Amino acid sequence: MDILNYKQFTTILFTSIYGVFGIYHLLSYIVLRHKILLYYFILIIGLTLHYSLIFIYEGSFSEQAKLMAYNVSPITAVISTFGLLMFTKSYLNISPINHRTLSSIYKVFIIILVSLPVVYILNHFIIKLEWVRNITIMVAAMTALSTTLLCLFSGFRLYNTEKFNKYYLYSYTPYLFGSILYIAAWFSKKYYQVETDGIILITSVLVTLQLILFSILVSYKFKSIEDHNINMQVEANDKLVTEVEKQTKHLQKAKEDLEKQNEELEKVNKLKNKLFSLLTHDVRGPLNNVSTIIEMIESQLDESELKEITKKLKNEVTDRISMVNVLLDWSYKQLEGVTLDKKLCNLETLFNSIKNEFQRMADNKAIEIELDISCQELVIDENMLKVMLRNLISNAIKFSKRGQKVILSSQCTSDSVEIRVKDFGLGMKTDWHNQSENNNQTTVREGTNGEKGTGFGLMITKDFVEMNDGEIICKSEINKGTEFILTFKTLSQ
């Protein structure tokens, strides 16, 4: 085989090898859509085209074909250099965010490599100046060598930055030597007519070795990326499971809170039933009947002292009916849910109002209502407190004997306000609230003058106390009296 055939054979061989590598990585890019594969394809396709031009330039082709190959070879060399530069930048993950200075240098090299083919083509077809062509080729050769050194520097600079960077530096060695040998052979042949076939062969072998090493390197990097993605997915799944468990606990707590609210609503509904049962059946109806009877009696009497008494009695009954109607109206407003209207109440004013309200009832039994106000103020729903005290004072008078007294008092502790209603009458069972809650019915009990007591008032009082975050305590001894203690936390609590 003569020298010409040998050179053709080696050129075709290495061109085919590069072409196969190029097609493989192009297909890989189309499937995986990762830019590093595209840049590697540009590098390889540049080498393939460049070696194809060598085959034309060195072969038995026309002078026109050889001239075309000679003119195009600088462009293919720039394509290979551009592919190498972009491949290295992508592989080593060089970006303005993590490596600003190095990224700026790569940007300058990219601009130069993109500009060189444009200048070269414009000069070839339009300007047609030989010195411009020579300078462009010289700049392209120097840029290719500088790019090779820049990639080498990047490998050293980022050696320990990422796991696979060190392997890039090892696998880059053949390309480094190959590039230096090829550029040296190009200068020697162009300016000194030195025979470079042996050097070109060694360069081709080194570049082929380089392509193999880079292909292996890219495969391992993709494997690492895949493992990393799997680990990230596992971590994401773990976080998702943790978040789901957290949200499940929140939902469980929300469910418990909802059940608690439902229980409170059920208590409120029971409270409403007690209120309306008391007001409509046990209080308002009988009072209206009494008012009607008094009017009938009054209409039959002539002007006399007895008629004046019935007029006063009618006024008293009317006042009680008005009080019951106000309470009924207030209760109706709570049908969408009982709400509190807490505000600062003056206990002295309120106690005096309650005393005046029950003064006639007490006078009828010669009972004294005594006030002992040590604590002047309390933050509470004032309407509810009035209902509580009316029920307790009414019961105290109802179950006291003639000539006894009822004490309404208030006192402060470090964290609460106590309101007490004490009588010295018949006494009662202190577990009354348990019996009422268990059977949801009332037991009629007679007072000292035959008054009727159903127990509804105490049940409502207990509910109102608890709605205001208070506590009710009953102390009693048969025939010695009863004391109700209402304890409410102060505002700071």
Side-chain angles (χ1 to χ4, degrees), residues 394-418:
S394 174
N395 283 347
I397 296 173
K398 188 182 301 181
F399 297 105
S400 292
K401 297 178 181 179
R402 186 176 184 81
Q404 292 182 330
K405 67 178 178 178
V406 173
I407 303 174
L408 174 58
S409 65
S410 67
Q411 61 185 44
C412 298
T413 65
S414 59
D415 61 352
S416 63
V417 175
E418 290 184 353

Side-chain angles (χ1 to χ4, degrees), residues 264-276 279 325-342 381-384 387 460 463-464 467-468:
E264 294 296 327
L265 288 174
E266 187 175 349
K267 290 181 180 179
V268 169
N269 287 330
K270 289 181 178 179
L271 172 61
K272 292 172 187 174
N273 294 335
K274 296 172 187 177
L275 278 171
F276 291 119
L279 293 173
N325 286 333
V326 169
L327 185 56
L328 182 59
D329 290 339
W330 175 84
S331 301
Y332 269 117
K333 293 177 183 178
Q334 314 306 313
L335 283 176
E336 297 300 324
V338 176
T339 57
L340 299 178
D341 182 21
K342 286 190 175 184
D381 187 307
E382 186 171 350
N383 287 327
M384 287 189 177
V387 173
I460 293 172
D463 288 331
F464 278 12
M467 288 176 64
N468 284 270

Side-chain angles (χ1 to χ4, degrees), residues 11 14-27 29 36-54 72-87 175 207 211 214-215:
T11 302
F14 288 111
T15 301
S16 301
I17 293 173
Y18 301 156
V20 171
F21 272 99
I23 294 172
Y24 170 77
H25 287 91
L26 176 62
L27 294 175
Y29 169 72
I36 192 172
L37 296 171
L38 176 62
Y39 299 144
Y40 196 36
F41 165 72
I42 294 173
L43 167 62
I44 297 173
I45 201 65
L47 290 173
T48 305
L49 293 174
H50 196 71
Y51 270 80
S52 299
L53 295 176
I54 293 175
V72 175
S73 61
I75 297 177
T76 58
V78 170
I79 292 173
S80 297
T81 305
F82 176 80
L84 173 65
L85 187 72
M86 295 303 295
F87 171 79
Y175 191 89
V207 170
L211 295 179
F214 267 179
S215 297

Side-chain angles (χ1 to χ4, degrees), residues 29 43 90 94 164 233-234 266 296 359 426:
Y29 169 72
L43 167 62
S90 178
I94 299 171
F164 282 88
Q233 185 63 45
V234 171
E266 187 175 349
M296 293 174 61
Q359 190 62 58
L426 300 180

